[in-house]
Coordinates of all heavy atoms in Angstrom, one line a residue:
G794 N 4.4 1.5 -23.8 CA 4.9 0.6 -22.8 C 4.3 -0.8 -23.0 O 4.9 -1.8 -22.9
L795 N 2.9 -0.8 -23.2 CA 2.2 -2.1 -23.3 C 2.7 -2.9 -24.5 O 2.9 -4.1 -24.5 CB 0.7 -1.8 -23.4 CG 0.0 -1.4 -22.1 CD1 -1.4 -0.9 -22.4 CD2 0.0 -2.6 -21.1
F796 N 2.9 -2.1 -25.6 CA 3.4 -2.8 -26.9 C 4.8 -3.4 -26.7 O 5.1 -4.5 -27.1 CB 3.3 -1.9 -28.0 CG 3.7 -2.5 -29.4 CD1 2.7 -3.3 -30.0 CD2 4.9 -2.4 -29.9 CE1 3.0 -3.9 -31.2 CE2 5.2 -3.0 -31.1 CZ 4.2 -3.8 -31.8
C797 N 5.6 -2.6 -26.0 CA 7.0 -3.0 -25.7 C 7.0 -4.3 -24.8 O 7.9 -5.2 -25.0 CB 7.8 -1.9 -25.1 SG 8.2 -0.5 -26.3
F798 N 6.1 -4.3 -23.8 CA 6.1 -5.4 -22.9 C 5.4 -6.6 -23.4 O 5.9 -7.8 -23.2 CB 5.4 -4.9 -21.6 CG 6.4 -4.3 -20.6 CD1 6.9 -3.1 -20.8 CD2 6.7 -5.0 -19.4 CE1 7.7 -2.5 -19.8 CE2 7.6 -4.5 -18.5 CZ 8.1 -3.2 -18.7
F799 N 4.3 -6.4 -24.1 CA 3.4 -7.5 -24.4 C 3.1 -7.7 -25.9 O 2.5 -8.7 -26.3 CB 2.0 -7.3 -23.7 CG 2.1 -7.1 -22.2 CD1 1.8 -5.9 -21.7 CD2 2.5 -8.1 -21.4 CE1 1.9 -5.6 -20.3 CE2 2.5 -7.9 -20.0 CZ 2.3 -6.7 -19.5
G800 N 3.6 -6.8 -26.7 CA 3.4 -6.9 -28.1 C 1.9 -6.6 -28.5 O 1.2 -6.0 -27.6
L801 N 1.5 -6.9 -29.7 CA 0.1 -6.7 -30.1 C -0.7 -7.9 -29.6 O -0.8 -8.9 -30.3 CB 0.0 -6.5 -31.6 CG -1.3 -6.1 -32.1 CD1 -1.7 -4.7 -31.5 CD2 -1.3 -6.0 -33.6
S802 N -1.1 -7.9 -28.3 CA -1.7 -9.1 -27.7 C -3.0 -8.7 -27.0 O -3.3 -7.5 -26.8 CB -0.7 -9.7 -26.8 OG -0.4 -8.9 -25.7
A803 N -3.7 -9.7 -26.5 CA -4.9 -9.5 -25.6 C -4.5 -8.7 -24.3 O -5.2 -7.9 -23.8 CB -5.5 -10.8 -25.3
E804 N -3.3 -9.0 -23.8 CA -2.8 -8.4 -22.6 C -2.6 -6.9 -22.8 O -3.0 -6.1 -21.9 CB -1.5 -9.0 -22.2 CG -1.1 -8.8 -20.7 CD -2.0 -9.5 -19.7 OE1 -2.8 -10.4 -20.1 OE2 -1.9 -9.2 -18.5
A805 N -2.1 -6.5 -24.0 CA -1.9 -5.1 -24.3 C -3.3 -4.4 -24.4 O -3.4 -3.3 -23.9 CB -1.1 -4.9 -25.5
I806 N -4.2 -5.0 -25.1 CA -5.5 -4.4 -25.2 C -6.2 -4.3 -23.8 O -6.8 -3.3 -23.5 CB -6.4 -5.3 -26.2 CG1 -5.8 -5.3 -27.6 CG2 -7.8 -4.8 -26.2 CD1 -6.4 -6.2 -28.5
K807 N -6.1 -5.3 -23.0 CA -6.6 -5.3 -21.7 C -6.0 -4.1 -20.9 O -6.7 -3.4 -20.1 CB -6.4 -6.6 -21.0 CG -6.9 -6.7 -19.6 CD -7.0 -8.1 -19.1 CE -5.7 -8.8 -19.0 NZ -5.8 -10.2 -18.4
G808 N -4.7 -3.9 -21.0 CA -4.0 -2.9 -20.3 C -4.5 -1.5 -20.7 O -4.7 -0.6 -19.8
I809 N -4.7 -1.2 -21.9 CA -5.1 0.1 -22.4 C -6.6 0.4 -22.0 O -6.9 1.5 -21.6 CB -4.9 0.3 -23.9 CG1 -4.8 1.8 -24.2 CG2 -5.9 -0.4 -24.7 CD1 -3.7 2.6 -23.5
I810 N -7.4 -0.7 -22.0 CA -8.8 -0.5 -21.5 C -8.8 -0.1 -20.0 O -9.5 0.8 -19.6 CB -9.6 -1.8 -21.7 CG1 -9.8 -2.0 -23.2 CG2 -10.9 -1.7 -21.0 CD1 -10.5 -3.3 -23.6
F811 N -7.9 -0.8 -19.3 CA -7.8 -0.6 -17.8 C -7.3 0.9 -17.6 O -7.8 1.6 -16.7 CB -6.7 -1.5 -17.3 CG -6.6 -1.5 -15.8 CD1 -7.7 -1.5 -14.9 CD2 -5.3 -1.5 -15.2 CE1 -7.5 -1.5 -13.6 CE2 -5.1 -1.5 -13.9 CZ -6.2 -1.5 -13.0
C812 N -6.4 1.3 -18.4 CA -5.9 2.7 -18.3 C -7.0 3.7 -18.6 O -7.1 4.7 -17.8 CB -4.7 2.9 -19.3 SG -4.1 4.6 -19.4
H813 N -7.7 3.5 -19.6 CA -8.8 4.4 -20.0 C -9.9 4.5 -18.9 O -10.4 5.6 -18.6 CB -9.4 4.0 -21.3 CG -8.6 4.5 -22.5 ND1 -8.7 3.8 -23.7 CD2 -7.7 5.4 -22.7 CE1 -7.9 4.4 -24.6 NE2 -7.2 5.4 -24.0
I814 N -10.2 3.4 -18.4 CA -11.2 3.4 -17.3 C -10.8 4.1 -16.1 O -11.5 4.9 -15.5 CB -11.6 1.9 -17.0 CG1 -12.3 1.2 -18.2 CG2 -12.6 1.9 -15.8 CD1 -12.5 -0.3 -18.0
L815 N -9.5 3.9 -15.7 CA -9.0 4.5 -14.5 C -8.9 6.0 -14.7 O -9.1 6.8 -13.7 CB -7.7 3.9 -14.1 CG -7.7 2.5 -13.5 CD1 -6.3 2.0 -13.1 CD2 -8.6 2.5 -12.2
L816 N -8.5 6.4 -15.9 CA -8.4 7.9 -16.1 C -9.8 8.5 -16.0 O -10.0 9.6 -15.5 CB -7.8 8.1 -17.5 CG -6.3 7.9 -17.7 CD1 -5.9 8.1 -19.2 CD2 -5.5 8.9 -16.8
T817 N -10.8 7.9 -16.6 CA -12.2 8.4 -16.6 C -12.7 8.4 -15.1 O -13.3 9.4 -14.7 CB -13.1 7.5 -17.4 OG1 -12.7 7.4 -18.7 CG2 -14.5 8.0 -17.4

């Protein structure tokens, strides 16, 4: 979803970090 919305960008990287932290 992040790649579709934001492409390979800082926003996508920020989003997956956010996801991993919230899961943990």
